[in-house]
Amino acid sequence: MNIKLYVFLSVVGLLTITSQVLAQADTVLACSNEMIAVNADVGFDRYRWYPGTDLQSSNGRRVTYLGTSNTMLYVEQQRFIGSNLIVNPNFEDGNSSFTSDYRFTSGGSSAQGTYSIVANASEHNPSFSPCTDAAVPGNAIMAIDGSASADDAIWCQSISIDPAASYAFSLDLASLSNGNPSTLQVRINDENIGGSLTGDVQACFWKRSLAYWNAAGAATAEVCIYNLNTSASGNDLAIDDLAFTELGPITLDSFYISIGEPSRGEDEVKLCGNERFTDYGLNLGIGDSGVATLQNAAGCDSILTITTVLGDSLLLNQVVDTLCFGDTLRFDSWVITTDTILTKTLPATVGCDTILVLETKYFNANNIEKTISPPSCEGDTDGQIDLNPLSGNGV
């Protein structure tokens, strides 16, 4: 099975910027240490994001950001203009229009540093996996037995270009055996333009690589591909669908990443009687505790610990102490004729019930405390009797 995976290589140098800066940055809300996706506009062929700090990927329309502070992200966007400048990019014209330090063998070979233009890689070497064109099986591919020298160019082509333009170079790469894949390097005018591209460890799994290059005054681009893996076995590969295309003007877009902080809080909820707290997915009785995860204004998690307690009933104490012996007081259905304490619960429509306590105190001789201070000597008149009512006020 032939599968194609797209891999983007880094950019060499700064591209000449003829750009349009959008007036206002799009605001993207994120939470600290949260992975968030940022999407550029559709319809472009090349995207370059910067700064690269905290970016989990830095090429393609969609990037993921993981940061702890507010930041600005910028993306350069370009479209391909014109046609593919590579001659015989799919090898349908056979072994033509390019040069190679490898040795071409029309009937196949098991020697290092050789290649064939075939429809199936095993036609070059029977030990290779039967890899075919990823898009159209039966079309030609370049099957290569890796060289023992990293300085041997697999493929080179000289292309006339616009000295003031920037370009994108791409190709498809597949390993021809499992394990120990090849590692390619693309050079233009003998300059490495994008680090290295390693084939997949699984045979026939096609990877699409893409690198960018600024002509910077050069009128010709000598594009060459090298294999940095010089192992005697396992560094074998196939390439296909090469492209070298001019890039149009840069459109610059910007994004403001606003980082919100998660928050923590505590709340005490008062319950009455057999009530239960059932908000935020919790079910708590009196004396229980639970944790709710909410979202604050920034869209970040807000951790709220909720503890339930017995709510305070409203306690009303009413004291009646103006009664004299023989007086009668009526309260609700009770007739009061002596010192009494009564309690009545008044159900509440909101909150807890109200507890009403009525206390009556009658004024009589039994409720008078007497303090007697006798005269200093017999016949003196400095003696004193103090009376203190224990209940009632004698009014």
Side-chain angles (χ1 to χ4, degrees):
M1 178 176 63
N2 296 309
I3 304 173
K4 185 177 290 186
L5 174 70
Y6 285 83
V7 178
F8 296 90
L9 302 182
S10 60
V11 181
V12 171
L14 294 176
L15 300 179
T16 302
I17 297 179
T18 304
S19 62
Q20 168 192 0
V21 179
L22 301 185
Q24 183 175 359
D26 297 328
T27 298
V28 180
L29 297 178
C31 298
S32 183
N33 293 314
E34 176 191 25
M35 193 84 71
I36 187 166
V38 183
N39 296 300
D41 292 336
V42 297
F44 291 91
D45 299 299
R46 177 246 172 194
Y47 300 87
R48 176 177 177 254
W49 295 83
Y50 60 91
T53 306
D54 296 324
L55 285 183
Q56 303 304 296
S57 61
S58 58
N59 286 289
R61 189 179 78 86
R62 176 188 176 94
V63 296
T64 51
Y65 176 81
L66 177 63
T68 58
S69 59
N70 297 340
T71 192
M72 287 290 298
L73 284 182
Y74 300 92
V75 58
E76 295 176 356
Q77 304 168 118
Q78 290 177 283
R79 294 182 176 90
F80 295 149
I81 58 175
S83 58
N84 182 6
L85 300 179
I86 298 288
V87 180
N88 190 24
N90 304 314
F91 304 106
E92 296 305 315
D93 293 333
N95 185 41
S96 66
S97 305
F98 65 92
T99 62
S100 177
D101 292 333
Y102 282 55
R103 180 169 57 89
F104 173 69
T105 60
S106 58
S109 172
S110 60
Q112 282 191 276
T114 60
Y115 74 92
S116 295
I117 307 301
V118 292
N120 189 306
S122 60
E123 295 175 29
H124 177 72
N125 186 332
S127 66
F128 289 168
S129 295
C131 305
T132 61
D133 187 296
V136 184
N139 282 2
I141 61 174
M142 183 177 183
I144 304 147
D145 195 320
S147 172
S149 173
D151 292 327
D152 289 345
I154 296 173
W155 176 97
C156 290
Q157 190 172 114
S158 183
I159 305 168
S160 296
I161 57 173
D162 180 351
S166 57
Y167 294 86
F169 176 75
S170 59
L171 80 159
D172 289 346
L173 165 65
S175 299
L176 298 184
S177 58
N178 294 324
N180 193 25
S182 61
T183 299
L184 297 191
Q185 186 179 84
V186 180
R187 302 175 194 171
I188 298 181
N189 296 342
D190 206 30
E191 178 185 18
N192 175 17
I193 70 164
S196 59
L197 171 68
T198 301
D200 197 83
V201 294
Q202 176 184 337
C204 304
F205 189 98
W206 288 93
K207 284 185 174 181
R208 182 75 176 169
S209 67
L210 179 63
Y212 305 102
W213 178 74
N214 186 6
T220 302
E222 181 73 19
V223 184
C224 292
I225 304 169
Y226 296 83
N227 183 7
L228 304 183
N229 185 347
T230 58
S231 172
S233 62
N235 64 341
D236 309 309
L237 66 146
I239 61 174
D240 196 15
D241 297 330
L242 285 70
F244 192 78
T245 311
E246 184 178 347
L247 291 165
I250 292 174
T251 297
L252 185 65
D253 202 354
S254 56
F255 300 84
Y256 178 69
I257 310 297
S258 178
I259 300 295
E261 291 294 334
S263 59
R264 293 182 176 273
E266 296 182 355
D267 192 17
E268 184 179 81
V269 177
K270 295 180 178 180
L271 300 178
C272 304
N274 295 321
E275 286 184 333
R276 300 191 68 82
F277 180 84
T278 57
D279 289 339
Y280 315 130
L282 301 176
N283 190 341
L284 307 177
I286 295 173
D288 293 339
S289 181
V291 176
T293 302
L294 312 176
Q295 280 195 332
N296 58 24
C300 308
D301 285 348
S302 179
I303 309 302
L304 180 63
T305 300
I306 298 174
T307 303
T308 58
V309 297
L310 179 62
D312 296 328
S313 296
L314 180 60
L315 181 63
L316 297 180
N317 282 307
Q318 179 68 46
V319 179
V320 179
D321 59 2
T322 59
L323 300 172
C324 294
F325 183 73
D327 288 344
T328 298
L329 176 66
R330 293 184 178 274
F331 172 70
D332 202 12
S333 60
W334 293 284
V335 178
I336 302 170
T337 60
T338 185
D339 292 352
T340 303
I341 297 179
L342 295 175
T343 301
K344 181 177 177 61
T345 300
L346 304 178
T349 56
V350 178
C352 300
D353 294 343
T354 298
I355 308 300
L356 176 61
V357 178
L358 174 66
E359 183 178 2
T360 59
K361 296 182 179 180
Y362 277 77
F363 180 73
N364 55 52
N366 294 328
N367 287 334
I368 299 176
E369 180 182 60
K370 298 176 287 293
T371 303
I372 301 175
S373 300
S376 302
C377 296
E378 187 177 350
D380 289 344
T381 59
D382 58 350
Q384 182 176 332
I385 299 176
D386 293 320
L387 302 178
N388 178 38
L390 298 178
S391 64
N393 57 24
V395 177

